[in-house]
Every structure is written in C-alpha cells, then in structure tokens.
Amino acid sequence: MKRRSFIKNVAAGVALPSLLGGFGVRLHATAPLGRLMSALDADNDRALVLIQLDGGNDGLATLSPLDQYDRLKKARPNIALPENRLLPLTGLSTLAMHPAFIGMRNLYEEGQVRIVQNAGYPNPNLSHFRATDIWMSASHADEFIGSGWAGRYLAYEYPNFPIGYPNANMPHPLAVEIGYSMSLSLMGPQTGMGFVIPDTQSYYQLLAGEQAPAPNTPAGEQLAYVRLIAQQSRVFAQAILDASKKATNQATYPDTPLAAKLKIIARLIAGGLKSRFYLASIGGFDTHAQQADTSDPTKGAHAQLLQQLGDAVWAFCQDIQALGVADRVAGMTFSEFGRRVASNFSDGTDHGEAAPLFLFGTPVAGGVTGSNPKLPLNPTLNDNLPMEVDFRSVYATVLRDWFCVPEADVPSILMHQHPFVNGLFRPGMACLTSSVREDHWEAGRSLLTCRPNPFREAVVLDYESTGGPTVVQILDASGRIVATPVSGWQAQGRYQITWDGSALPAGVYFCRLVSGQAQQTRTLQKH
C-alpha cells in the first residue's frame, strides 16, 4: 500500500481495522487526529459495566438456599458447602453466599448489590454458543438475531452512528470492550458499536506509545507504517489516551485478569469518557469436573473464580467511589446458563437452566428480587432450576430505569415486549432530559429517515444518495431481507419515496440504506 493511497483512504472515511499491536477498533475513521477532540470534560452520562461469567455459573454454590439445605446436601453429597461456613446476608435467614464470594457479600451488606434469583428464559438452550447468543442478543430461544441488545440501544440513542462520528456531542467511543473481539452484545443493526481493547497489555502499550515489533522486511516496514498512521488517525484511541491521563491515582486492585480489566474501566470512566457500556469477562465457569475440593468444598476451582469476581468488583466499586464517579456507574453480571441441581460423579455440575445474576453499584437498590429456587425432594442428575425472572425483563428495566428509555420505546430495542422488574435501582434518580436525547439523535449526519414510525401501511423513506449504486432494504429481526424499495444507480442528492408495508406482519424491522461506502439503518415498528 502506498502512503499516499493510505492517507487518501483514511481521509475518505473507509472502515479500517486498527492494527496498532492488535488494538481492535470496530469503527469508521471519520476525521484526522485532533479534530473535534478538545479536552475531555467530566460528564454525568450513565455507564453500565457488564461482566460475563463465561461457561455457566453454578447458582446453588454461589447462593445456597438455607431453607432447603438438607435437600441441597442430598443433591450434592460430594461438593455441598458446609452450612456453618456460608456467609450470612443481613435480613435474609434463608439465603447465604459462598465463603469465597466475600467481596460481593461486603457490597451487599453496604446496600450496593441486587440479587436477581433464577434468571433465565423459556425453553432454554444448553449449548454454550447458542445460549451466549441468546443472552447477548435478547432473542427468543427459537429465533436468531444478528445484533445485540446493547448495540441496538446504542443505535437507538445515536442513530446516525458511524456517519459523522466522533462529533462534538459524542467525541468518544459509544462502548468499550476489553476482549479479543467484539461480542454480539455490542453489534448494532448495521455495524459494531464499540471500541475493542484486546487485552490489558495492549492498553498499557497504547499509553506508553509502544507497539508490537514489525518484521524486518519491506512488508514489515509497510506494516509498521500502517500501524503508525492508524494509531495517529484514530480519534477514539486518542480519547482513550486523554481519559487515561486524567485519572491516575487509583485504588489497589487484586492481581487477577478481571481486576486488571475493571481497573482500566474505572480509569476511563473517571477520566471523563462518555461511553455508555463497558464489557469484560472472566472464564472458567464450565465446572463439569473438580468444581470443589471434596475434602473442603469451600475451596477449589469455583471458589477461586468467585473470589476473583467478588474481590475485583469490590475493588472497582471502592475505586470509582474514591474517584467521584460512583453515582453514574452501575454493573451487572451475566452467564449463559446455570448448572444442574445435583452434582455429577466427577465432583462437578453439568449444564443447567436458571441461575442468579447480580447488579452492583451505588445506584442499585440493595436486596433480592425473586425467591429461593425450589429443590426436588429426591434430586436426580436431570433436575434443573426453573426460570422465575426472564433476563430480558432485567434488560428492559435497565433500559428504562438506568438509561431512561421511554417505556414505549423499549420493545423496539429488545425486539419483543417484556414486563419490567421494579425495584432494581434506587428511586428518585434524575433521567435524561428530552433535549439531551434529541441532541444524541441529531448528532452525526443523517442520511435516512422513515415516517411514520411506528407504521401500519405506507412509510415515507427520505434518503440521501452519495452517488452511484444505491439500495434501500427492509429487513426483519433475523436479518432477512423482506423488501427492497430502492435498488439502482442514482445521482448524488436527496430522494423521497413511499413504500407500502401493509403486507408485513406486526413486529420490529430495520430499514437499511447502502450508498457507496455509506450505510445507515433505522429501526421500524409495525403495528
């Protein structure tokens, strides 16, 4: 690649993956370094930190139902936790935590943890990959949705992204994920909505201005040049740097991978980054074998995982409190499924159904939602914990009560109507004003509008062609094209057509414009 050609492509706004030491940026480059990037001002935009417990967390070991301890002991004679070693919870005589989960228990005692018991969904799938997709997309078990619930919310809040981004209204990444690739959670209807940091080492290399060495060949020299230009041209990477420089006096964290990720997230939030979602994960929860030490069930693989999780979250909450940003940060754990009621013959537990999830942080209303799971009198290896709270109802409540999405708009984001779960957040928290949300909606460059929305029959599509082949498509929730109102060559300019959608069944659809290198998608609701 010639240097002149590369610079031309960057200036034209071509979507390019960042190559600085594997630092993954799933976005369109829209401006040279420094444009629109004034000093990062402190902002009160709310952020949600999602922690994925990869593998399927065992809820009955995490939270033991004391009112059914005899049945639990019968179901798990080899790995049941001793009742006298469990951590009591103030005000709860029938529920106790794993002794290694002391960090989360301490937060609970401070009123900063909401336990949601028996979270799941109807007809659960027990495949890791499929179940993870369901939790990340908020789909039904029998449908496939190619976008994530968080990504669709971000597309709702910032509908013109990525065209015209970054901008004065939103100069920062919409979301940040620390992981080797962008998860489905952050995929929007047309593009990834986040900024990916592959690992903690990549982050600190970025701060130090370092990059992985390139091979000493002509191709290596070219790669080094591409990396350098990519690093210099990514204004979102610059936002990460600027935020990091503003918050350096942090609390002490445990020396674990999850804690290292949460430390970075706390630093970015305290530094003024306006990103709405932060994602981190901790693996190892697929505990089919040696889940616990049979000579002392309070120790073992699962105990180590819970200690890492609890201690990391505790340190994170202490840190953001000291940094003065705790009021604008909430967190939530999720896992693709739980484990079976009975232990297996390998001193572990197999894939199960429902399990608890945890919301944490100062804005969270401490306590418990849901009841203790009901254990069978004579448990077998096939017994599961039934769902009590649909996890998508938790998402709906997060959107309404934390991100201030009007109730009427939540179904179009989650693709379905779900009841809300009251009491997850503290009452009386101020929400976004309508003028702030309108600023978000108007930020960037709008190439496509669809009205009325919701619609019943005719829809007026107002769009801009950049010149050349232009397509406007209507897609259903699964991504299947159900109509193509526009397809052909068009001169540059604004156009308006009326499309008849009366034949489509009620539901959520996407209207997508593709014109040259520009793409933009709008969500449509058919009544």
Side-chain angles (χ1 to χ4, degrees), residues 467-485:
T470 301
V471 177
V472 178
Q473 300 167 323
I474 309 298
L475 298 86
D476 64 14
S478 68
R480 182 174 60 93
I481 298 172
V482 296
T484 305

Side-chain angles (χ1 to χ4, degrees), residues 106-429:
N106 289 344
L107 284 174
Y108 182 89
E109 294 298 299
E110 293 185 356
Q112 294 192 55
V113 170
R114 187 77 183 185
I115 299 168
V116 179
Q117 287 276 48
N118 310 311
Y121 56 96
N123 304 311
N125 190 300
L126 300 187
S127 159
H128 288 291
F129 300 107
R130 178 63 188 136
T132 298
D133 283 353
I134 290 170
W135 274 78
M136 289 185 172
S137 67
S139 70
H140 287 333
D142 59 352
E143 68 178 348
F144 294 83
I145 298 177
S147 58
W149 75 280
R152 293 194 300 273
Y153 160 70
L154 293 171
Y156 162 87
E157 191 73 35
Y158 304 95
N160 295 329
F161 182 87
I163 299 174
Y165 280 78
N167 52 60
N169 180 271
M170 188 53 167
H172 308 151
L174 304 186
V176 174
E177 179 166 5
I178 303 180
Y180 282 96
S181 63
M182 187 178 300
S183 67
L184 178 60
S185 295
L186 292 182
M187 292 302 298
Q190 74 174 34
T191 188
M193 306 297 287
F195 182 103
V196 178
I197 302 174
D199 51 37
T200 55
Q201 181 181 2
S202 297
Y203 169 78
Y204 289 109
Q205 285 178 339
L206 179 68
L207 295 192
E210 299 174 358
Q211 57 188 27
N216 186 22
T217 64
E221 293 176 3
Q222 192 173 82
L223 175 60
Y225 174 75
V226 169
R227 283 176 171 170
L228 177 62
I229 297 300
Q231 184 173 8
Q232 292 176 342
S233 65
R234 300 303 186 184
V235 290
F236 283 170
Q238 186 63 45
I240 296 285
L241 286 170
D242 290 347
S244 299
K245 293 174 183 177
K246 285 193 167 186
T248 57
N249 187 21
Q250 291 189 262
T252 301
Y253 281 73
D255 186 16
T256 63
L258 178 62
K261 295 174 185 178
L262 294 183
K263 184 176 183 179
I264 291 172
I265 291 171
R267 185 172 179 178
L268 295 178
I269 295 172
L273 213 64
K274 297 170 66 175
S275 304
R276 310 309 294 272
F277 280 90
Y278 295 85
L279 274 70
S281 64
I282 173 173
F285 285 90
D286 194 19
T287 51
H288 287 283
Q290 285 79 56
Q291 174 174 318
D293 184 340
T294 54
S295 63
D296 182 358
T298 65
K299 299 179 180 179
H302 192 244
Q304 293 172 10
L305 291 169
L306 291 181
Q307 181 172 355
Q308 290 179 39
L309 173 62
D311 290 355
V313 171
W314 167 262
F316 174 78
C317 289
Q318 299 305 300
D319 195 16
I320 59 175
Q321 184 70 46
L323 292 168
V325 294
D327 288 343
R328 57 174 289 241
V329 183
M332 182 170 71
T333 69
F334 72 97
S335 193
E336 65 263 38
F337 43 63
R339 317 299 293 186
R340 300 287 174 91
V341 173
S343 58
N344 59 32
F345 298 109
S346 299
D347 302 325
T349 51
D350 297 325
H351 298 182
E353 296 182 3
L357 65 78
F358 299 87
L359 291 106
F360 58 87
T362 299
V364 169
V368 179
T369 294
S371 55
N372 281 357
K374 304 303 180 186
L375 305 186
L377 181 61
N378 296 301
T380 70
L381 289 174
N382 293 322
D383 286 322
N384 271 303
L385 299 178
M387 175 204 79
E388 181 180 1
V389 179
D390 194 312
F391 76 92
R392 294 160 299 188
S393 289
V394 177
Y395 291 176
T397 307
V398 168
L399 292 174
R400 183 192 67 177
D401 294 350
W402 183 239
F403 287 123
C404 303
V405 176
E407 280 193 15
D409 292 350
V410 171
S412 67
I413 296 173
L414 294 182
M415 316 297 283
H416 298 285
Q417 184 83 44
H418 296 286
F420 295 95
V421 183
N422 293 322
L424 298 185
F425 295 93
R426 297 185 186 277
M429 295 188 300

Side-chain angles (χ1 to χ4, degrees), residues 144-147 152 188-191 412 415 448 450 455 461 471-486 499 501 504-514 519-526:
F144 294 83
I145 298 177
S147 58
R152 293 194 300 273
Q190 74 174 34
T191 188
S412 67
M415 316 297 283
L448 174 67
C450 311
F455 73 97
L461 307 177
V471 177
V472 178
Q473 300 167 323
I474 309 298
L475 298 86
D476 64 14
S478 68
R480 182 174 60 93
I481 298 172
V482 296
T484 305
V486 176
W499 166 70
L504 293 178
V508 177
Y509 296 89
F510 300 105
C511 181
R512 180 173 65 189
L513 165 70
V514 181
Q519 292 192 42
Q520 203 156 77
T521 301
R522 297 287 184 256
T523 301
L524 284 171
Q525 182 86 36
K526 170 70 183 294

Side-chain angles (χ1 to χ4, degrees), residues 447 463-471 490-492 513-520:
L447 301 181
Y463 64 95
E464 179 178 337
S465 172
T466 60
T470 301
V471 177
Q490 291 184 332
Q492 183 177 358
L513 165 70
V514 181
S515 181
Q517 295 175 355
Q519 292 192 42
Q520 203 156 77

